[in-house]
């Protein structure tokens, strides 16, 4: 027997508003649009809660206000955290806190989607590694600081060196 986890599905009150948030603001590409259920190429899906509840339980949703109870965090990474933060604030999205550095060096900020689900936007770890190296840290120091395996930090450094030589 083989059991494989499938991408998460987030129940939402308004599929149109949530689609605008994830597709518009976070630039996620829709892979399949089934009306009240959308799947994204990034590996997650949205399902309008009233339709989902009817399909799963066979009865209408009893409490759609139960969504976004601060018990779920959805994480995205980017190579330009400040640009995403600017887009979110310009769009009037409720931001929990502005970008700040985590103990392992990754800069993140948190906001909430239209249903109140916590959404984290963080720097991609290769971006963190390159930032620390540009500040003069050795690859070994970067690996220690970030908690990333030394081999991963070396791979990121080598890929950046190759990219710079080819440009």
């Amino acid at each position: 027997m083989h059991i494989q986890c499938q991408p998460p599905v987030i129940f939402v009150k308004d599929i149109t508003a949530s689609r605008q948030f994830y597709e518009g603001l976070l630039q996620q590409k829709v892979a399949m649009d089934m009306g009240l259920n959308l799947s994204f190429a990034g590996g997650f899906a949205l399902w309008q809660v009233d339709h989902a509840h009817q399909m799963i339980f066979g009865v209408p949703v009893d409490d759609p206000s139960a969504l976004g109870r601060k018990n779920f965090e959805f994480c995205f990474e980017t190579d330009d955290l400040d640009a995403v933060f600017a887009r979110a604030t310009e769009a009037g999205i409720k931001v929990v806190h502005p970008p700040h550095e985590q103990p392992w060096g990754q800069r993140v900020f948190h906001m909430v989607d239209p249903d109140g689900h916590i959404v984290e936007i963080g720097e991609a770890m290769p971006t963190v590694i390159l930032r620390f190296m540009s500040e003069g840290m050795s690859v070994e120091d970067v690996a220690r600081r970030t908690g990333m395996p030394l081999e991963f930090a070396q791979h990121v450094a080598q890929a950046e060196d190759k990219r710079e030589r080819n440009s």
Side-chain angles (χ1 to χ4, degrees):
M1 174 189 309
H2 176 74
I3 299 175
Q4 181 176 343
C5 182
Q6 294 298 306
V9 176
I10 304 169
F11 291 177
V12 299
K13 284 181 238 164
D14 181 344
I15 196 79
T16 303
S18 293
R19 179 178 184 160
Q20 184 177 9
F21 178 85
Y22 289 100
E23 185 179 24
L25 179 70
L26 297 183
Q27 302 175 336
Q28 299 301 294
K29 298 205 181 325
V30 173
M32 190 178 304
D33 182 349
M34 296 167 282
L36 299 177
N37 185 317
L38 299 170
S39 61
F40 290 89
F44 69 100
L46 304 177
W47 198 357
Q48 188 147 317
V49 68
D50 52 356
H51 180 65
H53 205 273
Q54 185 68 42
M55 295 295 295
I56 294 169
F57 299 106
V59 295
V61 65
D62 52 354
D63 183 11
S65 67
L67 300 174
R69 295 293 179 129
K70 300 179 182 165
N71 59 359
F72 171 84
E73 178 184 63
F74 204 35
C75 301
F76 293 85
E77 289 188 341
T78 180
D79 59 355
D80 194 347
L81 185 72
D82 295 321
V84 178
F85 180 71
R87 286 173 51 100
T89 55
E90 288 167 10
I93 302 299
K94 181 180 176 189
V95 173
V96 177
H97 63 77
H100 71 278
E101 192 171 294
Q102 301 284 38
W104 54 90
Q106 182 184 38
R107 293 177 59 238
V108 303
F109 75 92
H110 288 87
M111 59 184 165
V112 295
D113 78 359
D115 291 290
H117 299 293
I118 302 165
V119 177
E120 177 186 88
I121 309 293
E123 290 177 304
M125 287 311 292
T127 302
V128 176
I129 290 168
L130 294 174
R131 178 168 46 87
F132 284 148
M133 290 181 66
S134 74
E135 294 171 0
M137 291 177 73
S138 71
V139 177
E140 293 79 13
D141 288 340
V142 169
R144 275 191 294 280
R145 173 72 171 85
T146 62
M148 294 281 108
L150 178 58
E151 295 78 20
F152 180 71
Q154 290 170 331
H155 173 75
V156 170
Q158 291 166 354
E160 180 65 10
D161 286 344
K162 184 177 180 181
R163 188 193 66 75
E164 287 178 357
R165 283 192 307 270
N166 292 334
S167 59

